[in-house]
Amino acid sequence: MSGILYGIGVGCGDPADVTYKAIKTTQSCDTVIFPSGKRAYDIIKGAWPEIDSKSLKFFSFPMTHDESVLSERREKIYDFIKTLLADGKDVGFATIGDVLVYSTFSYIKELAENDGFSVGIINGIPSFLSCAGKLGLILGQEDEEIHIIPGTGDLDASLELSGIKIFMKLGKRLGELKKALAEKPEHVFLGAVNRCGMPDESVYTRLSDVPEEKSYLMTAFVR
């Protein structure tokens, strides 16, 4: 019998947001994979201090848009996982937020399924929902549209969409968004959250207070 690969979402920062199912699945896995930045590890560690009793493996994920580099790294990570699965070991792949929203796990999932391995999904609270909660925002009232835009998206075109726009993982493009909003006063800045749920979390309700320096974990809301 082959092992099962589990994608485990751990929420975006607060260990109290880790679900019971995520903890139980982590406990049942033979090996747990973490990104080397250790954010996901720290969250699980806060929810289940005994995590170090498991076999843990940390992999670095290059911050690049070079598809050849990314593909090579994903293949290397999957080769490690594949060996364990073939030996009948269950493997957990932990990631911040949810495993189905802009997550590296989606690529590992595809590789595993192509090889015939079973994959289980353990959802975590998506970061954009946690951020909305920090701001007290209600998303999708009545028939309002909700659009989720990655930091690599077309900012100007996205702003013209109807409804509420959620800009995730803004990184170095945060300054561009601030400039675009300043030039288009018809759009309403609803707030932004940086490093949601983490000890150094910052919540902004005024656009002028949002710093322009690069911040990968910044999420902004615009109507």
Side-chain angles (χ1 to χ4, degrees):
M1 292 290 291
S2 298
I4 300 174
L5 171 63
Y6 291 97
I8 304 173
V10 301
C12 63
D14 189 343
D17 288 339
V18 179
T19 66
Y20 177 78
K21 189 173 184 178
I23 293 173
K24 295 299 289 184
T25 302
T26 302
Q27 292 172 340
S28 70
C29 287
D30 296 288
T31 297
V32 184
I33 307 295
F34 289 99
S36 60
K38 292 195 174 183
R39 292 190 186 99
Y41 166 81
D42 288 341
I43 296 169
I44 283 282
K45 176 77 170 178
W48 182 49
E50 294 79 13
I51 181 63
D52 293 325
S53 65
K54 307 298 295 185
S55 173
L56 308 179
K57 181 69 174 180
F58 295 85
F59 283 101
S60 62
F61 295 85
M63 299 298 288
T64 177
H65 297 303
D66 187 325
E67 190 56 39
S68 63
V69 174
L70 291 172
S71 179
E72 180 180 355
R73 191 57 180 166
R74 293 165 189 154
E75 290 282 356
K76 181 176 180 179
I77 295 169
Y78 174 64
D79 285 345
F80 175 81
I81 293 172
K82 179 179 179 179
T83 300
L84 295 174
L85 296 176
D87 286 342
K89 305 294 185 181
D90 289 342
V91 180
F93 190 106
T95 181
I96 61 174
D98 184 79
V99 294
L100 303 180
V101 181
Y102 296 126
S103 170
T104 300
F105 176 74
S106 62
Y107 303 98
I108 305 300
K109 173 181 180 293
E110 182 179 7
L111 292 170
E113 289 177 334
N114 287 343
D115 280 340
F117 293 113
S118 296
V119 178
I121 301 296
I122 312 300
N123 296 107
I125 299 176
S127 60
F128 69 87
L129 289 181
S130 290
C131 291
K134 297 289 183 179
L135 292 164
L137 296 178
I138 301 298
L139 306 180
Q141 287 182 308
E142 298 182 357
D143 58 352
E144 182 181 48
E145 295 179 0
I146 303 171
H147 302 277
I148 302 174
I149 299 108
T152 54
D154 186 326
L155 297 183
D156 290 329
S158 297
L159 284 172
E160 299 310 313
L161 296 170
S162 62
I164 192 167
K165 279 74 69 172
I166 305 171
F167 295 90
M168 295 180 60
K169 299 183 177 181
L170 279 166
K172 63 184 180 181
R173 303 195 67 194
L174 181 58
E176 293 180 48
L177 178 61
K178 287 190 67 176
K179 183 174 183 293
L181 290 175
E183 294 173 349
K184 299 180 178 182
E186 67 271 22
H187 298 295
V188 180
F189 175 75
L190 302 176
V193 181
N194 188 36
R195 300 178 67 81
C196 184
M198 300 179 186
D200 55 350
E201 169 189 281
S202 298
V203 178
Y204 305 96
T205 56
R206 296 188 303 177
L207 182 61
S208 60
D209 291 337
V210 179
E212 293 191 13
E213 60 262 23
K214 178 179 178 180
S215 184
Y216 179 67
L217 294 179
M218 177 77 77
T219 299
F221 299 79
V222 177
R223 179 174 283 120

